[in-house]
Amino acid sequence: GTASQSFNCAGGGTALFTATGSNLGNGQLDAGEIYNVTYTDCRGSAGAASLNGTATLTVVSASAGAVEVTTSTSGIVVTLPQRVLTLNGTSTLSQTVVTSGANTTTTNHWTSPQIVVTSQRNARSSTFTLTGIDITRSITTTNGVITARSHSGTHTMNAVLPNGSWTVTTATQGAVSFDANGVPTQGDWTITLPNNRILVSVVPGTITVKLDFGADGSIDRTITLTTGDVGTIAG
């Protein structure tokens, strides 16, 4: 079946919500369901940025403790007073929830071949492109309280600006562990810049940053900090 409803946006314009599927209304996601939102000059308040375009979510699979969906945007355009932003891209999101006694681990996995944001201001255009996105995050709770987090994955950001361009790839080397407050406790990252590489390694209480100028595989400088130092520098 199909259900749709149009809503008036607070500052003008409309948002049309459409859902299709064979088992709508049961309060949960089911495989094959498709949800669309189409914005037409939608504004959050009078004089705010306007939003146009369509966003789609498709349920690929859904079962107890696991769900996978795909998302896509078609010409999402945000019009600001002096700039126009356009968003296009697709992605896949999956979530699994595993419970063992008092412990529950929720794992989210995000992949995308490409997401593009274009910024147009007068005759000047800038394009930001995310590619190769493959990121996994897990959170473990014990009796409802967060006790552990982990993160792994990679993504590449490419920017084409009026005066030049650059590319940065950030990747973990295996999984990175975090404490209950989100502070990294163990793991390694590699940040690949256009001309250099930065290697970051974390062990409990210590952060080591290695600089590879020229990205030739030779470490040119090493900086060691305590997590307390980083907190002080951050303010």
Side-chain angles (χ1 to χ4, degrees), residues 116-136:
V116 182
V117 176
T118 301
S119 172
Q120 185 74 39
R121 180 171 182 174
N122 299 323
R124 297 168 65 87
S125 177
S126 300
T127 301
F128 301 89
T129 305
L130 271 174
T131 58
I133 303 168
D134 189 347
I135 297 173
T136 300

Side-chain angles (χ1 to χ4, degrees), residues 36-207:
N36 284 283
V37 181
T38 298
Y39 301 97
T40 303
D41 295 325
C42 180
R43 300 175 185 270
S45 60
S50 67
L51 179 63
N52 287 274
T54 300
T56 302
L57 183 148
T58 301
V59 183
V60 177
S61 62
S63 60
V67 63
E68 180 176 312
V69 302
T70 60
T71 67
S72 66
T73 59
S74 178
I76 291 289
V77 178
V78 180
T79 304
L80 304 166
Q82 299 184 33
R83 190 184 303 272
V84 176
L85 302 176
T86 303
L87 170 65
N88 284 292
T90 61
S91 68
T92 299
L93 301 166
S94 65
Q95 182 182 84
T96 59
V97 180
V98 176
T99 298
S100 177
N103 298 321
T104 298
T105 299
T106 301
T107 301
N108 296 308
H109 186 204
W110 177 35
T111 62
S112 172
Q114 179 172 280
I115 296 174
V116 182
V117 176
T118 301
S119 172
Q120 185 74 39
R121 180 171 182 174
N122 299 323
R124 297 168 65 87
S125 177
S126 300
T127 301
F128 301 89
T129 305
L130 271 174
T131 58
I133 303 168
D134 189 347
I135 297 173
T136 300
R137 290 183 177 178
S138 295
I139 296 178
T140 298
T141 61
T142 302
N143 294 320
V145 178
I146 294 176
T147 52
R149 309 171 191 249
S150 67
H151 167 93
S152 63
T154 181
H155 69 276
T156 296
M157 168 66 82
N158 174 259
V160 179
L161 309 173
N163 297 321
S165 61
W166 50 262
T167 299
V168 176
T169 298
T170 302
T172 64
Q173 308 307 303
V176 176
S177 300
F178 299 79
D179 66 16
N181 296 315
V183 177
T185 56
Q186 188 88 38
D188 300 277
W189 294 261
T190 298
I191 304 170
T192 304
L193 306 171
N195 300 307
N196 306 298
R197 284 195 314 151
I198 302 173
L199 294 84
V200 180
S201 178
V202 176
V203 296
T206 302
I207 299 174

